Amino acid sequence: MKIHGTSKGGAVSHKDFGVAFGGGSFSGVEATGGTETTDGDYKVHTFLNSDDDFEVTAVGDNDTVEYMVIAGGGGGNGIASSSRAGGGGGAGGYRVDTSFTVEVDTYTVTVGAGGAGGNDSGTGIAVQGGSSVFGSITSAGGGYGASTGVGGQAAGTGGSGGGDAGQNASSAGNTPATTPAQGFAGGKGIGGGSGRGGCGGGGASAVGQDRD
């Protein structure tokens, strides 16, 4: 996660799962939290874990920030033979805003982890990625990939959907729904028969690859 925070010449805040602030002769947002760096006229707050929060200590002429919040990707599923297939995990939800209003307050930051992968033997199942949170903004974890192995697992929904693996069904992305969409559906496979192909998980800008 990145947020653009205080700038060199003023203060304006943004969040990328980080935060940045634009500079100028006016005053803007002053804030602390995460790893703080500068990028041109912007101060950027980057969060790689959930150990810190974003604290706005002052708001001046400009009370908006930019943020980018990305959730953890879903776990993919494995295969053990040519007659089985495993789908790829979906990308974590991707949410951005270039003009998010803040006030003097502490904004909770949670950085979602990637989901564990499954295996073909049925002893492990794939898991959805963890959600990432910035205050009231939540990006959903990516859906897990499907498996046609022992104890087969249908693909999961999420920020972006997990890839199919022979069930002839795609899994929804942008779940729960946001505007604009935080992700897309996973790819759709071919049902039945041997040699079922695994499909790609959905991404932030496109649906996952189908099985031809």
Side-chain angles (χ1 to χ4, degrees):
M1 177 186 300
K2 205 181 276 187
I3 306 172
H4 287 145
T6 18
S7 78
K8 299 175 181 176
V12 184
S13 212
H14 302 213
K15 181 159 190 172
D16 199 30
F17 242 126
V19 183
F21 299 88
S25 58
F26 59 91
S27 63
V29 177
E30 296 180 15
T32 61
T35 300
E36 300 178 16
T37 57
T38 57
D39 180 11
D41 290 334
Y42 290 92
K43 179 180 176 185
V44 180
H45 301 248
T46 302
F47 298 84
L48 301 179
N49 54 54
S50 306
D51 295 339
D52 200 1
D53 292 324
F54 181 64
E55 183 177 2
V56 177
T57 57
V59 175
D61 302 320
N62 189 327
D63 62 355
T64 63
V65 304
E66 298 177 8
Y67 68 71
M68 179 173 70
V69 181
I70 303 175
N77 246 309
I79 59 174
S81 72
S82 60
S83 64
R84 298 174 181 173
Y94 174 86
R95 300 189 65 184
V96 296
D97 192 341
T98 59
S99 185
F100 181 75
T101 301
V102 296
E103 57 188 24
V104 175
D105 201 352
T106 298
Y107 293 79
T108 299
V109 171
T110 301
V111 179
N119 61 52
D120 188 62
S121 67
T123 59
I125 60 172
V127 175
Q128 182 176 3
S131 295
S132 290
V133 178
F134 167 47
S136 62
I137 305 302
T138 298
S139 293
Y144 47 78
S147 170
T148 57
V150 177
Q153 184 178 16
T157 61
S160 289
D164 186 28
Q167 286 90 349
N168 194 29
S170 61
S171 60
N174 194 33
T175 305
T178 64
T179 303
Q182 61 179 307
F184 289 82
K188 182 179 179 180
I190 300 172
S194 62
R196 304 162 181 158
C199 303
S205 60
V207 172
Q209 179 66 51
D210 290 342
R211 166 79 197 282
D212 295 330

